Amino acid sequence: MPFPVPEKPTVDGLEATWTARWDDQDTYRFNRDTRREDVFSIDTPPPTVSGELHIGHVFSYTQGDVIARFWRMRGKNVFYPLGWDDNGVPTERRVENYYGVRCDPSLPYDPHFTPPESPDERHKLSIGRRNFVELCEELTKIDERAFKHLFRTLGQSVDWSTEYTTVGGFARGVSQKAFLHMLERGDVYLRVAPTLWDVDFRMAVSQAELEDREQPSAYHRIAFPRVGAEGTIEVDTTRPELLASCVAVVAHPEDPRFAHLFGTFVRTPLYSVDVPVVAHELADPEKGTGAAMICTFGDTTDVTWWRELNLPTRTLIGRDGRFLPADFTSAEFSSQDPGSAQRHYAALEGRNVKQARSATVEALKIEGNLIGEPREITHPVKFYERGERPLEIVASRQWFVRTLEHREELLARGDELRWVPDFMRHRYRSWVEGLNTDWNISRQRYFGVPFPVWYPIDEAGEVDFDSPLTASHDLLPVDPSSDTPAGYDESQRDQPGGFMGDPDIMDTWATSSLSPQIAGRWGTDLFERVFPMDLRLQAHEIIRTWLFATVVRSHLEFDSLPFKNALISGWILDPNRKKMSKSKGNVVTPLPLIENHGADAVRYWAASGRPGTDTAIDEGQMKIGRRLTIKMLNASKFVLGRLDAHEELSASDVTAPMDRDLLALLGELITETTASFEQYDYARVLERAESLFWSFCDNYVELVKARAYGEGEDRDTKSARATLSLALSVFQRLFAPIQPFVTEEVWSWWHDNSIHLSAWPTLAELGPLPERPGSIYQPVCDALAVVRGEKSTAKLSQRAIVTSMVVSAPSEIAEALRA
RNA sequence: GGGCGCUUAGCUCAGUUGGCUAGAGCAGCUGAUUUACACUCAGCAGGUCGGGGGUUCGAGUCCCUCAGCGCCCACCA
C-alpha cells in the first residue's frame, strides 16, 4: 500500500496552510528550560516599522532564518526572537505626514482629539505631546501588523511569544535601567557642547548618523585689514555668512607667509571685530590662501580649533537654522564700529543660511572686501542621513556615552568577534579608529524612551544640571514629564525650589543597542540562557551604528561581547545593480514577489546570495527556486507513490553497487553541507544539495524506474526502494532550512512530526558506505549522456530502444548499466 | 588621503589548501511529446578567467603593478 500522496500537488497555498499549522503546534517555541550549551541564540535587528516594507528585509532575515532552522534540526534549542523598532524620528516623521500633524509640546492634551480626515501637507495641525504620542502608537500598531504578516508569509521561524517593541514598557525599562547603570559607573555624562544639529528636525545628531553629500558651493576670498599695521590677510571661505561669528584667523605654524603675523590682529570686514591671527597644524597651507577664518561654528574643524586654542564663542545660528539677534555693542563682539556692524547684521537677522549668504556677499562687494568673484566648487558637506539641509553646529546640552576613552578596548572587542565574511571587520575597525566625539544619545524629540532623570531648581529658579535626581530602579520605566522624583510633588514642577524633568528622549540606537537585553529579558532566568548571543544578524550599513553601539553597551555593562559571531548581509540592488532608494523610486516591495513566485522561491533567491555580498533582485533566480520546489513535490510524489507504507526499509537493504554508490555520494553531500552550514555558508549548501538532487531526479530515478517498478521480492528491487526512500528523506531534510514550506508539505505525506523538528541528516543513518563515492554513479551518468547524445543527434525519442551498445567498463559499472 | 571588496560564457554567479581538457543556472539554438513533473526532458553552441609582469614542472587560484566599478573611513576653510 503506497503512501497517500496528492494527485496534483501544488506549491500554491503552502504558506497559509503551514504558517497556521506551525502556530497551532508551537513548532518554533523556545524551551526556556534548557542549559545554555543546548541553546543557539540569535540577535536579530528589530525592523524599523515606519520605514518601507523592503525586499532587503526578506534577504537578510531569510539568511538568518536558514541558519536558525539548521541549528534547530541539529538539536539546538533555538532562540530566534523578533521585535519592532517603532520609536524615534522615523515614526514621528511618518505620523506627521500620515495624519498631517505636528507636535507642539506647549499645547495641552485633548482627550477628544481625532486626526484630520484629509491631512494637509502644507499646514500641519499642531497638537500636544500626548496626543502626538498616541498617534505614533496607533500608526506603529498598523505598521507592525503589515511587517508581521510579511515575516510570517516568508516562513520566519520566529517564536512570536518573544515579540517586543522598542517603545514598549519592557524595552523602556531596560533602556532606563542600562542608562542609570552607565550614570552610576560614570560611563555617561551631561554636557553643553557644540553639537551637530539638524535645523529641520531641530535635534542633535550623532557621528554615526552623518553622511557626506557633494554640494555645490563657492570659495569667497575675503580681505581682512590688519590692526595697527598696513596690509590685509586674505582668507578663502565657503561660508561668508558666518563672518560675524569669526573669532580668529588661522594658519599653519610653519607657514613662512604667516609666521610674522601670529599674535597680531585683523579686523573683520562689515563687523569691525578684532580677531587674533593664530597658528594650528590643522591649517592646510595648500588650501585656499593658507589662512582660514575660524567661526563658531562653521564645521567640525572650527570646533577643534575653538576648543584647542581656547577661543571665545560668537553664536549666530539658532536651532531653527535662522540667524539670531546679536548686539554688536556687547562684550561678546566688542565691535570697533557697532553702528555699522548692526546695520550690516540687520540684513541677516531672522534669515536662513542661504539668504544670509547672498546678503553678506552683496555687502562685501559694496564694501570692497571681496577679492575677485566667488569661485564655484563642489565639496562634501555633512548631512543628517535623513535630513534635507546641511547640518549646523549648535551649542546644546546633551547626554554623551564615553566611547573615546574606551577606543582600544572596543577595537579589541572587534578583533575578538568572528565576522562573516571576515573582511567586514575592517569596517568596524576604521569606524572605531575614526571616532572623534563621544556618543551623543539624547534627541530633542517626543516619541521614544525618556531619560529617567529630573533636575533640581534652586530658589533663584536656576536649574542644577550637575546633580540629576534619578529614578529608583524598581519604578522603571518612568516618564519624567509626568512622574515626579522622590521627595517632590507635581506642584513643584518647573518651579523655584522644585524640579524639571529631562525633556529629551534617547537616540533610537541607545535602545536598539540593547536588543540582546530586551529580547533576552534581562533580569530574568532567560537571559543567562541566551547571553552572550551565538549570532548577530544584520546588514553592513549599520555596522557603525547598531553593531558598534551594541558592542559598546555590552562591553560597559557586562565586560563581554554581546554575541560571538556576526553574519553580515549585503545590500539588495535593483535589477540594474543600482542601490535602491525611495528618492529613485526603485524600491521593490516584497509581498507581490512572494505572491508571484512563492515564499520558498523567494527564499531560494535570498539564500543564493553569499554573506556580505550585494545582490541584485533577480526574478529569474526566483523562478529557478520555484522549479526546485515543484521538483521536490513531484519527485516526492513519485517516490512515495512507489513505496509501501508498511514496508520497513533500512540502509542494510541497500545492496546494489549503484545504490550503495549513490548513498556514498549522499554521505559526502551531508558532510559537506553540514560543514558549510556551520561556517554560515548557506549558499554553498544550496548549490551542492541542488546539484545532486537534480542529478538524482534526472539520472538515478530514471535508471532505477525499471527496478522500482518490480513487484517481486527481488533483492535489487528492494535495494532500489530502500535507496529511493533514504535519499528522498535526506534531500527533503537538506532543503528544509531553505525551503521550509514545500519540504514540510512533502514530509507530511509520510511523517507525523514536523520536518523542522526532525534531525538533520547524518552519515550514520546511511550505514557503512563504500569508498570512492561516485566511482560507479558517475561513469553510469556519463554513459547515459553518451546514449542520450546519440539519440538526440539521431533526432530520436529518448524512449527509443537501444538495440545494441558496446561498453567497456569494469564489471560493477557494466552491471549497473545493464539495468 | 587611508582602507575593503569586486572584475571568470550574452546575463547571474561557483571555482575550498596552485594540479587532468575552466563549471552551473538563465538566455540562445536543435530535438523529444505527455504512466512524478511542459513550472518537463535530452542535446548543442558559447570563455586567450580585466591588462601587464613575476614565482612555479604547473597559475582563474600565490606575489608585484596598472585600470575600471562599488563601498567604508577621514579635520571637508
Side-chain angles (χ1 to χ4, degrees):
Chain A
M1 183 184 164
F3 289 98
V5 293
E7 190 50 42
K8 264 284 176 199
T10 171
V11 297
D12 298 319
L14 292 180
E15 292 89 350
T17 308
W18 287 108
T19 300
R21 194 79 60 87
W22 293 332
D23 276 350
D24 287 348
Q25 302 181 345
D26 263 344
T27 308
Y28 307 119
R29 169 79 64 167
F30 177 75
N31 175 10
R32 254 178 110 135
D33 200 17
T34 25
R35 294 173 305 167
R36 177 66 186 88
E37 56 265 40
D38 297 326
V39 168
F40 188 87
S41 51
I42 304 178
D43 186 25
T44 55
T48 307
V49 290
S50 47
E52 296 277 316
L53 276 171
H54 193 283
I55 189 74
H57 291 115
V58 167
F59 187 64
S60 123
Y61 286 88
T62 294
Q63 295 173 354
D65 185 62
V66 163
I67 299 294
R69 288 178 180 277
F70 165 71
W71 284 108
R72 195 177 287 113
M73 292 178 76
R74 284 292 295 278
K76 290 283 190 182
N77 185 19
V78 172
F79 184 67
Y80 189 53
L82 196 59
W84 312 112
D85 191 12
D86 47 10
N87 70 24
V89 174
T91 297
E92 292 189 15
R93 234 330 119 96
R94 184 158 147 75
V95 164
E96 287 169 2
N97 295 331
Y98 190 90
Y99 295 111
V101 296
R102 169 166 292 150
C103 181
D104 180 348
S106 66
L107 294 175
Y109 179 57
D110 174 3
H112 306 296
F113 172 78
T114 49
E117 292 271 325
S118 48
D120 185 345
E121 275 279 336
R122 295 185 165 272
H123 304 286
K124 288 185 173 134
L125 188 64
S126 288
I127 59 174
R129 177 175 177 151
R130 195 161 144 200
N131 287 116
F132 186 75
V133 168
E134 280 178 3
L135 287 182
C136 288
E137 285 166 350
E138 192 176 306
L139 189 58
T140 52
K141 276 205 189 81
I142 298 172
D143 289 336
E144 276 155 27
R145 271 201 292 279
F147 267 71
K148 189 166 176 177
H149 176 67
L150 170 66
F151 277 70
R152 287 163 56 83
T153 307
L154 192 57
Q156 288 287 312
S157 60
V158 164
D159 177 353
W160 290 106
S161 70
T162 62
E163 189 176 356
Y164 65 89
T165 65
T166 56
V167 83
F170 186 78
R172 282 206 312 274
V174 165
S175 303
Q176 294 186 340
K177 174 171 143 184
F179 173 81
L180 290 178
H181 284 191
M182 288 199 295
L183 189 59
E184 287 154 19
R185 289 192 304 263
D187 292 331
V188 69
Y189 60 89
L190 184 66
R191 179 171 297 170
V192 177
T195 312
L196 287 158
W197 187 271
D198 187 287
V199 297
D200 292 314
F201 286 93
R202 298 193 194 178
M203 65 167 196
V205 170
S206 70
Q207 190 184 353
E209 294 165 306
L210 303 181
E211 74 183 25
D212 285 351
R213 296 184 199 160
E214 278 295 325
Q215 294 289 307
S217 183
Y219 278 126
H220 304 76
R221 182 156 298 184
I222 301 175
F224 285 63
R226 297 186 60 199
V227 176
E230 287 300 306
T232 60
I233 294 183
E234 292 180 6
V235 161
D236 269 340
T237 179
T238 56
R239 302 210 57 182
E241 71 278 11
L242 291 177
L243 189 55
S245 71
C246 176
V247 292
V249 166
V250 67
H252 194 274
E254 283 159 31
D255 191 328
R257 293 170 294 178
F258 299 97
H260 63 290
L261 298 171
F262 295 133
T264 69
F265 284 76
V266 291
R267 184 160 295 172
T268 59
L270 309 186
Y271 303 103
S272 304
V273 176
D274 291 350
V275 299
V277 181
V278 296
H280 195 281
E281 62 271 3
L282 281 186
D284 183 352
E286 303 291 312
K287 232 171 233 171
T289 62
M293 68 174 188
I294 303 177
C295 304
T296 54
F297 299 95
D299 63 30
T300 52
T301 318
D302 281 342
V303 178
T304 308
W305 282 326
W306 167 81
R307 192 176 53 232
E308 295 186 7
L309 299 171
N310 255 323
L311 297 166
T313 313
R314 293 184 185 124
T315 304
L316 289 182
I317 295 181
R319 298 188 168 199
D320 58 357
R322 293 181 180 274
F323 279 70
L324 298 164
D327 177 4
F328 286 87
T329 60
S330 69
E332 182 184 352
F333 290 96
S334 51
S335 169
Q336 301 303 307
D337 185 355
S340 166
Q342 210 69 52
R343 275 197 306 281
H344 282 302
Y345 192 72
L348 272 57
E349 193 177 322
R351 301 305 181 85
N352 66 29
V353 167
K354 228 173 139 182
Q355 295 161 336
R357 183 171 305 173
S358 43
T360 303
V361 170
E362 280 314 305
L364 283 171
K365 275 183 184 164
I366 291 164
E367 299 291 317
N369 296 95
L370 192 67
I371 312 293
E373 284 297 305
R375 286 156 292 141
E376 290 182 8
I377 56 159
T378 63
H379 67 158
V381 177
K382 286 190 194 310
F383 280 71
Y384 172 43
E385 57 189 356
R386 299 175 189 278
E388 283 156 16
R389 284 198 277 174
L391 292 170
E392 293 299 335
I393 293 174
V394 170
S396 56
R397 180 172 283 104
Q398 311 283 346
W399 284 104
F400 292 90
V401 176
R402 293 181 202 282
T403 52
L404 294 180
E405 64 191 63
H406 297 290
R407 193 194 306 267
E408 290 308 315
E409 299 144 55
L410 292 169
L411 286 171
R413 290 292 178 205
D415 293 339
E416 186 186 340
L417 181 61
R418 169 152 181 236
W419 298 79
V420 181
D422 189 70
F423 66 79
M424 286 294 176
R425 67 174 64 253
H426 297 291
R427 299 214 179 177
Y428 175 89
R429 172 160 284 274
S430 62
W431 172 251
V432 177
E433 283 175 344
L435 284 176
N436 55 35
T437 53
D438 279 336
W439 174 20
N440 175 358
I441 57 167
S442 42
R443 295 292 178 273
Q444 292 65 50
R445 302 297 299 187
Y446 318 106
F447 190 57
V449 180
F451 290 86
V453 294
W454 301 262
Y455 308 100
I457 302 177
D458 67 16
E459 296 305 328
E462 286 293 311
V463 180
D464 179 6
F465 288 102
D466 295 330
S467 331
L469 308 159
T470 58
S472 158
H473 282 253
D474 51 327
L475 294 176
L476 301 179
V478 298
D479 180 356
S481 71
S482 55
D483 296 317
T484 53
Y488 292 83
D489 63 58
E490 187 58 32
S491 67
Q492 293 171 281
R493 183 180 295 277
D494 300 329
Q495 300 298 320
F499 69 91
M500 72 167 271
D502 189 297
D504 292 342
I505 60 168
M506 293 180 197
D507 166 25
T508 192
W509 301 111
T511 299
S512 60
S513 60
L514 300 168
S515 59
Q517 288 92 315
I518 297 168
R521 310 299 287 192
W522 188 25
T524 72
D525 62 304
L526 176 62
F527 193 64
E528 314 304 322
R529 293 187 166 84
V530 300
F531 189 87
M533 299 273 186
D534 290 284
L535 179 65
R536 153 61 68 93
L537 179 71
Q538 65 164 82
H540 58 60
E541 80 264 25
I542 52 176
I543 288 175
R544 70 174 184 173
T545 49
W546 191 41
L547 194 145
F548 169 71
T550 315
V551 169
V552 168
R553 303 303 292 274
S554 178
H555 175 71
L556 296 177
E557 184 75 42
F558 305 109
D559 192 23
S560 85
L561 274 176
F563 32 75
K564 298 165 195 148
N565 303 281
L567 177 60
I568 308 294
S569 68
W571 262 335
I572 301 306
L573 308 174
D574 76 5
N576 301 318
R577 300 203 66 79
K578 294 275 176 271
K579 194 185 161 186
M580 281 195 273
S581 71
K582 230 173 171 176
S583 57
K584 273 191 242 162
N586 60 352
V587 172
V588 174
T589 42
L591 270 175
L593 286 173
I594 297 178
E595 278 156 17
N596 286 341
H597 303 284
D600 282 339
V602 175
R603 289 175 64 104
Y604 174 95
W605 160 75
S608 60
R610 256 124 178 121
T613 306
D614 295 349
T615 304
I617 294 194
D618 186 353
E619 292 203 53
Q621 193 70 2
M622 296 177 197
K623 286 184 181 144
I624 300 161
R626 188 175 172 88
R627 291 203 325 150
L628 178 64
T629 64
I630 292 166
K631 200 72 175 173
M632 178 59 78
L633 281 175
N634 286 312
S636 298
K637 174 189 162 195
F638 173 74
V639 169
L640 294 177
R642 298 297 175 288
L643 297 181
D644 184 337
H646 300 296
E647 183 182 27
E648 293 283 335
L649 292 168
S650 73
S652 59
D653 296 315
V654 179
T655 49
M658 172 74 173
D659 300 345
R660 285 172 41 79
D661 193 44
L662 178 75
L663 290 196
L665 284 169
L666 266 180
E668 203 175 50
L669 180 64
I670 290 170
T671 305
E672 188 184 5
T673 52
T674 305
S676 295
F677 256 141
E678 286 172 351
Q679 306 295 314
Y680 302 100
D681 195 353
Y682 47 81
R684 179 183 295 270
V685 172
L686 176 55
E687 183 191 308
R688 293 306 158 98
E690 188 184 13
S691 161
L692 189 62
F693 177 63
W694 225 265
S695 168
F696 167 76
C697 292
D698 295 340
N699 297 314
Y700 182 81
V701 172
E702 292 301 323
L703 270 171
V704 300
K705 264 181 182 172
R707 280 197 284 145
Y709 282 136
E711 302 272 316
E713 280 311 304
D714 174 56
R715 240 166 77 102
D716 272 7
T717 302
K718 191 169 188 184
S719 176
R721 286 201 302 270
T723 308
L724 285 173
S725 169
L726 261 174
L728 185 70
S729 168
V730 168
F731 279 124
Q732 289 181 351
R733 283 174 289 154
L734 289 180
F735 286 112
I738 294 166
Q739 301 208 309
F741 292 106
V742 71
T743 51
E744 185 76 312
E745 171 71 14
V746 295
W747 188 257
S748 75
W749 295 342
W750 57 328
H751 295 88
D752 294 327
N753 67 336
S754 167
I755 192 170
H756 303 298
L757 299 177
S758 70
W760 182 251
T762 60
L763 285 180
E765 52 188 280
L766 301 180
L769 296 171
E771 288 176 12
R772 297 179 53 233
S775 58
I776 300 172
Y777 184 84
Q778 201 48 56
V780 168
C781 289
D782 293 345
L784 262 182
V786 171
V787 174
R788 286 165 173 167
E790 288 300 319
K791 288 177 179 173
S792 196
T793 311
K795 305 201 172 181
L796 282 170
S797 161
Q798 291 299 331
R799 313 195 84 212
I801 307 295
V802 179
T803 48
S804 78
M805 152 177 179
V806 181
V807 183
S808 51
S811 63
E812 280 192 328
I813 296 171
E815 186 60 33
L817 266 178
R818 196 158 299 140

